[in-house]
Amino acid sequence: MVDIGSQNIPAGGDSRAQILEAAGAVFLAEGFERTSVDMIAATAHMSKQSIYELFPSKLALFEAAVRSKLDGARRDSVVVDADAPVEDALTLYALRFFQGFADPVNFGLFRANIAAANHFPELATELHGQRMAASRPMADYVEALIAQHFIRPCDPLAMAVRFGGVAVEGARHFLGTPAPDMAGRRICADNAVRLFLDGYRAMVNGQDQPPRDRAAGPRGCGRAAPVARETRDAH
């Protein structure tokens, strides 16, 4: 349960904004089903009656609160250091993506998408669009790598979404697995980068590019550090 006492939501002022701030904090921390209007009222330092005067139902309050949080989340974007060496750029992006994923608001919005899909299809579509938009900087970077023949042709946005999914270890943290510390996140990032480069590195005449070509990297993307390949036993 969200620690109501930890929510710094002052009493007084704009009642609607105060309610939305409290509702957003509780809904995103607890999820739709576990949240009650009593919890929101306590967090907002207001009565249930005051909340129902502005929002006729828990569903209406959920939609308004999630939209309010979504508007704030849209201002944040994970950037790619396109001038850094390719492997460094991918690693830094993966680490930043995990940091954003673990942010309580962003994490809560992922969870809110489940409830929104059942009650507010349009809101669910907006939440999905927000996740796609968050991957756009990576998609643009992937497109640049493709244009310079550094990696094989693929759908840039789909590849960016997959890369982000690998970097945060899929959906396991939604199921209760604690997020790893920074050392653990670095391992996740390194694995995502190795998988990406080993799987999508461009080929010339059916063969991997020689190390010198791989290291050079595309123009504007820096130099890519060599990626170690596992030695496979011949069977």
Side-chain angles (χ1 to χ4, degrees), residues 27-214:
F27 275 129
L28 296 190
E30 298 296 323
F32 178 78
E33 297 297 338
R34 294 178 58 184
T35 294
S36 69
V37 177
D38 284 319
M39 293 167 61
I40 295 170
T43 304
H45 310 294
M46 300 178 70
S47 67
K48 288 176 61 176
Q49 181 180 353
S50 298
I51 292 177
Y52 282 124
E53 287 175 356
L54 293 172
F55 302 95
S57 67
K58 176 181 168 181
L59 278 172
L61 180 54
F62 172 80
E63 180 180 19
V66 171
R67 287 189 184 280
S68 177
K69 291 295 184 181
L70 179 60
D71 288 341
R74 283 175 174 148
R75 294 192 291 268
D76 299 327
S77 182
V78 180
V79 300
V80 180
D81 296 323
D83 293 328
V86 174
E87 189 169 349
D88 290 347
L90 293 172
T91 300
L92 288 172
Y93 175 86
L95 291 171
R96 291 168 182 163
F97 193 86
F98 206 132
Q99 181 178 359
F101 170 80
D103 176 83
V105 171
N106 291 331
F107 193 82
L109 286 173
F110 275 105
R111 295 176 57 192
N113 199 11
I114 299 174
N118 295 326
H119 302 288
F120 302 102
E122 291 184 3
L123 177 58
T125 298
E126 289 185 41
L127 288 166
H128 178 73
Q130 190 270 339
R131 293 203 307 276
M132 295 299 101
S135 296
R136 174 49 59 186
M138 178 62 175
D140 292 340
Y141 184 68
V142 169
E143 191 169 6
L145 296 179
I146 294 171
Q148 296 295 331
H149 307 291
F150 187 74
I151 63 172
R152 307 175 190 183
C154 62
D155 181 327
L157 184 56
M159 187 63 251
V161 172
R162 294 190 191 104
F163 182 83
V166 174
V168 300
E169 301 183 293
R172 65 196 306 258
H173 301 297
F174 288 117
L175 303 177
T177 302
D181 59 15
M182 184 54 66
R185 295 181 189 186
R186 180 60 191 238
I187 292 173
C188 293
D190 290 343
N191 289 339
V193 172
R194 182 175 295 108
L195 181 65
F196 174 80
L197 291 179
D198 282 355
Y200 285 89
R201 184 183 294 117
M203 300 182 72
V204 177
N205 297 324
Q207 301 294 323
D208 283 335
Q209 291 185 12
R212 183 175 61 183
D213 290 343
R214 289 203 304 268

